[in-house]
């Protein structure tokens, strides 16, 4: 089925090749933007596309503008409406990734958030796996520390902060690995370059708390709820580096990465080097929910057609 490459740009839905910014754009110089990443899953049996937790993603995006003081006045519900219209008009019948960002759009100098015009742009990509969810991921604890809340607020998904992620990701990949794990400025486990992390030990799930300089992931929140509904205990706490090495199971979660298990950290095999039973159960539940094959959690997905 044919799809159209459309974007939302300067208040209109336009062909993506017409959505162009000036090289003088403020955000391009200073990273003064906030963004989101939302997935849509195509269910071939139901011949329909389902967007995962779109309102929650836009609530976080608007919270990001609040933290950074970006002057932006649309409500999350309005952004949901614009996005659903864009997705529908684009006519995708496959898995997609939606990238909205709110940026300082003025052609101006001087890094600041006050007194500078902003705008929102939204584009869509076809996207299946971002990292392999079937084979175990090989990881390292990054030599780069995670930015902290008093340096660049980590609860805001702020573009400039992703310089930190890029350094860690490149270091990991250039060392022949798949992904990096950040420690926070106190030396506790924080998150991956673009994903949250969970570990399982003696049947209990643990994940770094919000004060460990993590992004408050929508997937993280979903995994906490799914795990508790499956009867597991989930604890949000500070996690030390060596707890990673002795975990029975370890996995990343995030919109891009989905639920992807980790086989190795710093050359140490995690568990017995295969996907753990609890991770597998959670991963299965997650994929069922996002593709709307589950009888519950229907309010987490928005049907497009
Ligand atoms: N941490 C970081 C740094 C991220 O970039 C992402 C991806 N948005 C996540 C965690 C996971 O967040 P979410 O589940 O909302 O995609």
């Amino acid at each position: 089925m044919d799809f159209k490459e459309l974007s939302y740009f300067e208040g209109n839905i336009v062909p993506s090749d017409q959505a162009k910014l000036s090289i003088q754009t403020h955000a391009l110089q200073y990273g003064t933007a906030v963004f989101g990443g939302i997935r849509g899953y195509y269910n071939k049996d139901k011949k329909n596309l389902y967007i995962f937790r779109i309102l929650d993603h836009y609530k976080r995006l608007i919270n990001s503008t609040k933290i950074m003081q970006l002057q932006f006045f649309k409500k999350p519900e309005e952004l949901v409406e614009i996005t659903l219209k864009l997705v529908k008009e684009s006519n995708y019948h496959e898995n997609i990734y939606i990238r909205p960002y709110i940026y300082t759009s003025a052609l101006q100098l001087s890094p600041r958030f006050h007194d500078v015009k902003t705008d929102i742009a939204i584009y869509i990509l076809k996207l299946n796996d971002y990292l392999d969810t079937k084979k175990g991921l090989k990881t390292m604890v990054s030599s780069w520390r995670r930015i902290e809340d008093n340096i660049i607020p980590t609860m805001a998904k702020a573009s400039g902060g992703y310089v930190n992620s890029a350094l860690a990701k490149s270091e990991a990949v250039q060392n022949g690995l798949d992904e990096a794990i950040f420690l926070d400025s106190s030396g506790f486990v924080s998150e991956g370059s673009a994903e949250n992390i969970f570990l399982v030990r003696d049947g209990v799930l643990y994940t770094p708390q919000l004060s460990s300089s993590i992004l408050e992931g929508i997937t993280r929140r979903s995994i906490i709820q799914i795990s508790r509904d499956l009867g597991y205990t989930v604890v949000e706490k500070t996690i030390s580096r060596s707890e990673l090495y002795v975990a029975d199971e370890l996995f990343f979660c995030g919109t891009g990465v989905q639920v992807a298990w980790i086989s190795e950290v710093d050359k140490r095999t995690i568990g017995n080097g295969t996907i753990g039973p609890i991770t597998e159960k959670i991963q299965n539940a997650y994929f069922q929910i996002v593709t709307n094959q589950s009888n519950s959690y229907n309010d987490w997905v928005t049907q497009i057609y």
Side-chain angles (χ1 to χ4, degrees):
M1 202 146 339
D2 280 351
F3 70 95
K4 287 184 232 145
E5 278 186 35
L6 301 175
S7 298
Y8 185 77
F9 182 65
E10 295 180 341
N12 298 298
I13 293 176
V14 299
S16 293
D17 60 5
Q18 288 175 25
K20 297 268 164 65
L21 286 174
S22 162
I23 59 167
Q24 291 181 40
T25 305
H26 188 268
L28 205 51
Q29 325 296 315
Y30 304 117
T32 40
V34 295
F35 67 104
I38 308 166
R39 265 193 190 265
Y41 288 89
Y42 189 66
N43 181 323
K44 288 197 179 95
D45 296 329
K46 297 190 175 177
K47 295 190 173 45
N48 224 314
L49 183 61
Y50 298 91
I51 313 295
F52 189 60
R53 301 193 77 164
I54 185 167
L55 182 59
D56 293 315
H57 276 283
Y58 277 120
K59 282 183 179 165
R60 183 177 68 192
L61 188 68
I62 294 305
N63 280 340
S64 294
T65 65
K66 188 173 179 186
I67 293 168
M68 307 313 285
Q69 289 194 303
L70 278 162
Q71 293 155 43
F72 185 77
F73 305 104
K74 281 194 177 31
K75 301 252 170 305
E77 290 77 7
E78 285 176 72
L79 298 177
V80 168
E81 211 168 293
I82 290 168
T83 305
L84 296 180
K85 186 165 185 277
L86 176 65
V87 171
K88 212 170 280 179
E89 285 190 21
S90 302
N91 197 37
Y92 282 101
H93 288 74
E94 53 215 304
N95 295 339
I96 57 167
Y97 185 82
I98 305 162
R99 164 56 47 81
Y101 61 96
I102 297 168
Y103 59 102
T104 52
S105 56
L107 310 185
Q108 249 170 294
L109 286 178
S110 156
R112 64 175 183 276
F113 282 107
H114 73 278
D115 193 24
V116 54
K117 197 172 149 278
T118 73
D119 208 338
I120 182 166
I122 309 170
Y123 67 86
I124 303 174
L125 299 172
K126 294 187 212 173
L127 186 72
N128 289 310
D129 280 356
Y130 164 75
L131 287 176
D132 202 317
T133 55
K134 294 193 183 69
K135 91 172 179 41
L137 300 177
K138 292 189 172 17
T139 68
M140 65 182 284
V141 170
S142 184
S143 73
W144 299 96
R145 288 294 170 96
R146 183 77 184 129
I147 46 171
E148 61 162 295
D149 208 38
N150 290 304
I151 293 178
I152 296 176
T154 45
M155 270 185 81
K157 199 167 160 59
S159 297
Y162 279 78
V163 169
N164 185 226
S165 293
L167 288 166
K169 180 77 181 188
S170 288
E171 180 187 44
V173 172
Q174 286 169 347
N175 277 288
L177 304 167
D178 300 298
E179 189 50 282
I181 299 172
F182 276 120
L183 303 181
D184 66 15
S185 55
S186 307
F188 293 109
V189 175
S190 178
E191 60 181 341
S193 72
E195 50 279 311
N196 293 114
I197 191 165
F198 280 76
L199 69 85
V200 179
R201 201 171 178 209
D202 298 328
V204 176
L205 287 110
Y206 299 91
T207 194
Q209 62 207 6
L210 294 185
S211 55
S212 296
S213 299
I214 64 166
L215 180 74
E216 188 178 15
I218 307 294
T219 319
R220 174 184 180 276
R221 203 189 303 162
S222 307
I223 296 300
I224 291 173
Q225 188 168 335
I226 293 166
S227 304
R228 288 184 177 150
D229 291 349
L230 286 169
Y232 298 111
T233 302
V234 185
V235 183
E236 298 174 61
K237 71 174 197 84
T238 48
I239 293 175
S240 53
R241 178 176 187 161
S242 43
E243 284 179 83
L244 297 174
Y245 301 151
V246 298
D248 300 325
E249 304 178 29
L250 206 52
F251 65 89
F252 285 126
C253 74
T255 300
V257 76
Q258 308 172 105
V259 177
W261 67 283
I262 298 168
S263 61
E264 185 186 297
V265 182
D266 294 341
K267 307 287 181 204
R268 284 127 175 117
T269 300
I270 302 306
N272 62 9
T274 59
I275 187 167
I278 296 178
T279 305
E280 197 167 26
K281 225 181 200 178
I282 292 168
Q283 190 189 55
N284 285 337
Y286 181 77
F287 283 124
Q288 295 255 319
I289 292 165
V290 296
T291 51
N292 197 33
Q293 298 178 69
S294 165
N295 292 326
S296 35
Y297 307 98
N298 292 323
D299 55 334
W300 283 359
V301 293
T302 306
Q303 181 173 314
I304 291 297
Y305 304 115

